[in-house]
Amino acid sequence: TLRASDQISLIGGLRSTSVKLSNNDYITSDGNSTGSVTYSAINPVLGLTYHVADTANLYLNYGRGFETPTLAEMGYENNLATIKQGFNKALLAAKSDQYEVGMKWLPNRLTRVDLAAFYISTRNEIIVDRTSGVDSSYRNVSGTQRRGVELATQTQLTSSLKHTTALTFLDATFNKSEGTVVGGNPLPGVPAKVLFTDVSWSSTDF
């Protein structure tokens, strides 16, 4: 973290990740799926904050994401004729560029308001390729994008009672048509709107 002036601060970070997944197949009568694969990445994060006042900040952040396949996603292969157990070394890790701009504001000593707009561009997104019964194989698609806005508030109702609300609007789509994927279509299972609200009580003061 670097404080460039009374009103401007900068943050930066770098993370190096290496993940190795391996499989030993002890029953080779149906084919030998023994193998291993290593996923590596160096991901930066950068941030700029403008301190408008003691109670309000404006910020701009950038980060790079890295998500490896799970062992369950690598456990089956699509050999065109059917799905078979194996070790899908063809799966790539998903990588994303994430941008966020927003505001954090304390309108009074008991309330906090957060407003953020974000954009995420992902390469090699992992999706379901084929399903047979309870088994599914997975593959990569070249790209997806997520664009959204989130408004969140937190209010201290009493010393032991807190209310939180968050409303998110999200547009998540595939970039282009490839195979069974149609460009511009929404990502399955990703809701366009999410509302979260709760009231929390603590036996001790928050």
Side-chain angles (χ1 to χ4, degrees):
T1 302
L2 173 65
R3 194 67 180 252
S5 69
D6 290 340
Q7 290 185 299
I8 297 176
S9 59
L10 304 169
I11 62 169
L14 201 63
R15 179 175 182 175
S16 176
T17 304
S18 182
V19 178
K20 181 177 181 180
L21 301 178
S22 61
N23 179 66
N24 291 317
D25 188 353
Y26 297 104
I27 302 175
T28 59
S29 57
D30 58 348
N32 190 348
S33 61
T34 296
S36 66
V37 60
T38 300
Y39 302 101
S40 300
I42 297 178
N43 298 316
V45 60
L46 300 170
L48 170 67
T49 300
Y50 177 65
H51 306 277
V52 180
D54 291 340
T55 58
N57 289 337
L58 300 175
Y59 67 90
L60 175 65
N61 291 333
Y62 164 77
R64 185 177 297 163
F66 174 68
E67 182 179 356
T68 68
T70 64
L71 287 173
E73 289 170 339
M74 300 189 71
Y76 292 89
E77 296 177 300
N78 180 2
N79 67 354
L80 300 182
T82 184
I83 295 175
K84 69 182 186 71
Q85 288 187 341
F87 189 62
N88 189 0
K89 297 187 290 293
L91 270 183
L92 304 175
K95 297 182 179 181
S96 60
D97 292 296
Q98 307 174 21
Y99 305 86
E100 182 179 3
V101 59
M103 175 198 71
K104 298 181 183 293
W105 177 39
L106 301 175
N108 57 61
R109 67 183 187 87
L110 298 178
T111 305
R112 171 174 171 165
V113 178
D114 293 345
L115 177 64
F118 57 89
Y119 174 77
I120 304 170
S121 175
T122 303
R123 303 174 302 282
N124 300 323
E125 183 96 35
I126 299 171
I127 66 168
V128 174
D129 181 27
R130 186 173 177 180
T131 298
S132 175
V134 296
D135 300 331
S136 296
S137 61
Y138 294 80
R139 67 183 178 92
N140 298 102
V141 292
S142 59
T144 61
Q145 59 181 355
R146 295 167 174 82
R147 295 171 289 192
V149 178
E150 181 172 272
L151 174 65
T153 63
Q154 188 176 96
T155 303
Q156 194 77 36
L157 301 175
T158 69
S159 60
S160 299
L161 204 61
K162 180 172 62 176
H163 174 246
T164 301
T165 297
L167 177 62
T168 305
F169 296 91
L170 175 62
D171 177 35
T173 59
F174 293 101
N175 285 355
K176 67 177 185 178
S177 299
E178 46 188 302
T180 56
V181 169
V182 178
N185 273 7
L187 271 64
V190 180
K193 303 181 187 69
V194 176
L195 174 64
F196 168 84
T197 184
D198 80 346
V199 176
S200 304
W201 176 83
S202 173
S203 60
T204 59
D205 290 350
F206 279 111

